[in-house]
Amino acid sequence: MEFAAAVPFVMLALALVWQVLLLGLTSMYASHGAAEAARQAAVTPDDPARIDEEARKRVRPPWDGDDVMTVAVVERDGRRYAQVSLAMPIFLPGASGPWDITGEAGVVAEVAPRGGPPGPDPSPQESAEESPPEVQHREVAR
């Protein structure tokens, strides 16, 4: 009789462990997708379809579905961030719940977006100051 009374509690504990595992997987996929979206946004800032495509490559099905995953590049405090939101699955990876898990990664601009503020053109004096020092070679006597 004691075993029969303990079975529902063991099953509940296993279900909670499984749900925590799904939470961890969802969080991991959100952060990986955001990192990939940030990398792609740094290279092609004016191509949101390419950013979305690259972010989805890092996320496994069923988390990469159009109804489950959203990808956005947002500006906040003068910086750009890639955000990936995934619907949190409830007990099964295909059954989405009402909660979203969001991963975010900063975009390090390699190319200025079209229509954005142009960067300052360095004057010849500034570019000379920023150039690396010359390497001096010398012969070593043997």
Side-chain angles (χ1 to χ4, degrees):
M1 195 63 160
E2 293 173 4
F3 177 74
V7 169
F9 293 109
V10 171
M11 296 302 282
L12 180 64
L14 288 175
L16 289 174
V17 168
W18 176 249
Q19 190 62 41
V20 169
L21 178 77
L22 287 177
L23 174 72
L25 279 172
T26 305
S27 178
M28 179 191 69
Y29 285 142
S31 66
H32 285 320
E36 192 64 25
R39 185 197 65 76
Q40 190 63 40
V43 178
T44 58
D46 298 319
D47 193 356
R50 180 76 188 264
I51 294 168
D52 186 77
E53 174 188 345
E54 291 297 320
R56 288 180 192 278
K57 284 183 181 179
R58 288 284 185 203
V59 179
R60 301 259 184 222
W63 282 273
D64 66 344
D66 289 336
D67 58 336
V68 177
M69 180 177 175
T70 58
V71 180
V73 177
V74 297
E75 266 192 60
R76 186 175 62 241
D77 300 328
R79 292 208 44 196
R80 295 177 67 215
Y81 296 92
Q83 288 182 343
V84 172
S85 293
L86 297 173
M88 177 64 203
I90 300 296
F91 201 66
L92 296 173
S96 299
W99 304 284
D100 287 341
I101 303 292
T102 301
E104 186 174 274
V107 176
V108 179
E110 294 181 13
V111 178
R114 292 185 201 138
D121 293 331
S123 66
Q125 182 181 13
E126 288 176 356
S127 61
E129 290 173 1
E130 294 176 5
S131 64
E134 292 183 23
V135 177
Q136 297 178 356
H137 299 283
R138 57 187 171 121
E139 293 182 27
V140 177
R142 294 182 191 199

